Amino acid sequence: MGAAFLHSPPTGNLVCEESALLYSTSYRFHSRQYLRCNTSDLKPFQTLASALPLRGLIQRVSALPEVDDFFWEKDPTPILDTIDAPIHLKNLSSKELKQLANEVRSEISFIMSRKCQPCSTGHSVVELTIAIHYVFNAPMDKILWDAGQHAFAHKILTGRRTLFHTIKQKNGLSGFTSRFESEYDPFGAGHGCNSLSAGLGMAVARDISGRKNRIVTVISNWTTMAGQVYEAMGHAGFLDSNMVVILNDSRHTLLPKADGQPKMSVNAFSSALSKIQSSKGFRKFREAAKGFSKWFGKGMHEFAAKVDEYARGMIGPHGATLFEELGLYYIGPIDGHNIDDLICVLKEVATLDSTGPVLVHVITENEKDSGGKFKSEVTPNEEGPSDSTQDLFKFLENGLSRTYNDCFVEALIAEAENDKRVVVVHGGMGIDRSLRLFQSRFPDRFFDVGIAEQHAVTFSAGLACGGLKPFCVIPSTFLQRAYDQIVEDVDMQKIPVRFAITSAGLVGSEGPTNSGPFDITFMSCLPNMIVMSPSNEDELIDMVATAAVIEDRPICFRYPRGAIVGTSGTLTYGNPLEIGKGEILAEGKEIAFLGYGEVVQRCLIARSLLSNFGIQATVANARFCKPLDIDLIRMLCQRHNFLITVEEGTVGGFGSHVSQFISLDGLLDGRIKWRPIVLPDRYIEHASTAEQLDMAGLTAHHIAATALTLLGRHRDALLLMK
């Protein structure tokens, strides 16, 4: 499919449409910025563009040449060009390190802006990354990161710069750290909060093996919302193993500061204090003072410890004593963009032996950039875009980027308007823009707990016990670590929590780390759980209404990330579905497809492909995995020779429930032959969603080819796959 650009004002906001989704980006080509869209999608608004008095917009569409044909404006990177490994940083001067930071930040901006992807988080840790690699000796020293975007500069500095443009592409670099990708990645960054636990394990293994390498873990203030971090800190303090924990504090909190309270700042005093705290002399003096106080007895030692705690609490930032109580020696806060201070403190920390775990508090800015040339996040015009431009953006927003999340939230708002008991609990990293609409409409009925998914589930159970109707919204991949709470705190007690499982199935460029293939399996094995999935946005709206009326047991529904494929395009109030009832969408004979979820749309396409071979297949929409529509399944088995179940999930899910029923019901003893189509028993690596579906064998062509093979038409099946 071709692509095209609409020229926009030099300082205008931009919207990038890719695979029917809109993302924010900015491109620069011969000092002009562009709005990128697929040509086929431009047709509806070409007329609009020519009709609107778009101030500063050139009213024409030109074809996009191959990327290699672009003369992209890119700043020279003379110092970065000399860096192939972290060891090459060792001989750089302070001035050169600062220039390197700007070059690395420019490189990240340049690459990510071309990919229509945000990079501010990657910007924030550039100086910190350079300082870490300048002081420590990777890969002998182990450097662990909690978040994938925090590792962008790390990837560039560890020999992967030439491949950085392939990040999140098929056969390209992962968007996260990966043990399979580089020796400089000792542990994979997944959902956050794992680096401290893994780093502590490596530190203990080092001590037992008698090695002398250092362990450095980088966590963030978002990570500190997860309980695992504090479990690991407490254990690290108890074991007293040598390791360095760096808290990258972007000064963003889950909840905004009340009453206009200022965020934590770094000044000359705090920088000087951090250097004193990290110095070997101060640490030796502190240890000597502890030993001296012990000499006078237990009472004096406890008194001295209290004096030390209160003194550090008075001169340190709020919350510093928390880390001290957990057993970590606190240093900070430090300006995360001051390379000289970072190197000074980290050098002192690196020389400390037998002092236990140390936490270095670093303050960074997500908005830090390389001069504004390649900023990937869109910032509003100072004067604001013209009304005409806003109209065009609004048209694009409503016409091209409507997603399942949009439909879900609109339906949820409709339910909330009619029932004041409806509340939302959100868990996971970041809030989808659609959910912010609910948050703005019902701020007192929206609770975002961040990546504390375990708390989100049990908190929702408490809300339900209090008479409310909680919708617990968690992406499939993050729901995995709250499974114990789902079993013990919800399903076992038959508490009516309504789980909206977002980003289910394959998720494209985010790869296996953020994909959600397992939820069908682990939710449908629970005795009291109702499990369903819509085939389009109309059914999603109905399932929201269905979940709202269920008050005697838990219920869940999953839906994919991405654009909708349904029929109506306009919101109507949902009608509750009859529990455990599916429907037949197209009648045929000999072979039947029984689809679960959005994959039903691919079954319909497969039916169309088969019609070219003179085969009329039946397509049924299961809607429910639990309870199954046993009448529908019996009818399909009795009227057809072949039954194919199709789902975007793993073994043990919908197809397994169907096979369990038809085997126990004796249906497999007759003429029916059953075949499941599921995700393969392996992790599907990052690629576009279409490429992932092809790799998984879940495209409409694969579904149709499976049917042809069952019918003995192997040659036609091969022809269909060419």
Side-chain angles (χ1 to χ4, degrees), residues 641-666:
N641 295 327
F642 300 97
L643 174 65
I644 301 176
T645 57
V646 190
E647 63 189 299
E648 198 170 311
T650 59
V651 173
F654 172 70
S656 297
H657 282 263
V658 172
S659 68
Q660 175 80 357
F661 166 71
I662 61 179
S663 60
L664 293 178
D665 203 51

Side-chain angles (χ1 to χ4, degrees), residues 402 404 407-412 414-415 471 498 530 532-550 555-557 559 567-568 570-579 581 583 621 623-624:
R402 186 171 169 80
Y404 279 98
C407 294
F408 163 66
V409 173
E410 290 171 7
L412 197 56
E415 293 294 333
F471 280 78
R498 299 141 184 93
I530 298 173
M532 55 186 179
S533 182
S535 64
N536 56 37
E537 87 272 23
D538 292 331
E539 282 189 345
L540 175 57
I541 294 169
D542 290 340
M543 288 183 181
V544 172
T546 305
V549 299
I550 297 296
I555 186 170
C556 70
F557 53 94
Y559 58 88
T567 56
S568 71
T570 57
L571 174 67
T572 56
Y573 287 99
N575 298 310
L577 301 171
E578 183 179 354
I579 300 299
K581 287 298 179 182
E583 62 176 347
N621 174 19
R623 286 180 175 160
F624 291 86

Side-chain angles (χ1 to χ4, degrees), residues 155-349:
K155 285 177 181 280
I156 289 175
L157 295 174
T158 53
R160 287 169 276 183
R161 182 192 179 192
T162 57
L163 295 175
F164 192 67
H165 69 281
T166 69
I167 195 165
K168 299 187 179 182
Q169 293 179 0
K170 183 179 180 182
N171 299 323
L173 293 181
S174 170
F176 307 87
T177 56
S178 170
R179 297 173 64 238
F180 309 106
E181 186 177 285
S182 172
E183 63 178 341
Y184 291 97
D185 294 352
F187 203 78
H191 297 158
C193 81
N194 66 351
S195 68
L196 214 162
S197 297
L200 179 59
M202 293 178 187
V204 172
R206 172 204 61 199
D207 296 340
I208 293 175
S209 303
R211 297 190 298 269
K212 297 296 182 182
N213 62 308
R214 301 176 182 89
I215 308 297
V216 181
T217 70
V218 184
I219 64 176
S220 70
N221 53 316
W222 292 104
T223 298
T224 56
M225 292 183 289
Q228 182 180 350
V229 168
Y230 301 101
E231 294 170 3
M233 285 183 183
H235 196 199
F238 172 76
L239 295 176
D240 205 32
S241 295
N242 288 344
M243 64 183 299
V244 180
V245 181
I246 299 176
L247 172 57
N248 168 39
D249 185 357
S250 62
R251 303 198 290 188
H252 287 192
T253 57
L254 191 61
L255 299 174
K257 290 282 185 181
D259 302 323
Q261 296 176 10
K263 295 180 179 179
M264 185 183 300
S265 61
V266 182
N267 51 39
F269 175 75
S270 61
S271 297
L273 181 62
S274 299
K275 294 175 184 178
I276 294 173
Q277 290 173 316
S278 63
S279 67
K280 184 181 294 186
F282 180 79
R283 290 297 298 270
K284 286 184 176 180
F285 173 77
R286 191 168 182 255
E287 294 300 320
K290 285 183 179 179
F292 186 70
S293 64
K294 287 181 180 178
W295 187 75
F296 282 98
K298 182 179 179 181
M300 178 59 72
H301 176 66
E302 291 179 350
F303 175 76
K306 287 292 184 183
V307 171
D308 177 66
E309 176 184 338
Y310 286 128
R312 289 171 59 79
M314 285 188 292
I315 62 178
H318 297 297
T321 53
L322 168 64
F323 303 114
E324 292 277 347
E325 288 294 325
L326 289 170
L328 282 73
Y329 181 72
Y330 176 89
I331 299 172
I334 306 167
D335 183 355
H337 302 294
N338 188 321
I339 288 184
D340 294 332
D341 284 356
L342 287 170
I343 290 176
C344 177
V345 171
L346 292 180
K347 274 186 175 180
E348 293 289 346
V349 169

Side-chain angles (χ1 to χ4, degrees), residues 51 65 68 108 112 116 138 144 160 266 271 296 333 347 382 423 429 434 478 511 589 598 602 625 631 650 702 712:
D68 292 341
I108 295 173
M112 301 312 289
C116 308
L144 291 78
R160 287 169 276 183
V266 182
S271 297
F296 282 98
K347 274 186 175 180
E382 292 182 2
V423 296
M429 185 67 78
S434 303
F478 291 104
K589 57 182 180 179
E598 195 266 345
R602 276 169 261 154
C625 177
D631 294 332
T650 59
H702 284 96

Side-chain angles (χ1 to χ4, degrees), residues 583-599:
E583 62 176 347
I584 293 180
L585 301 179
E587 291 273 9
K589 57 182 180 179
E590 196 168 5
I591 196 162
F593 296 117
L594 179 58
Y596 177 70
E598 195 266 345
V599 74

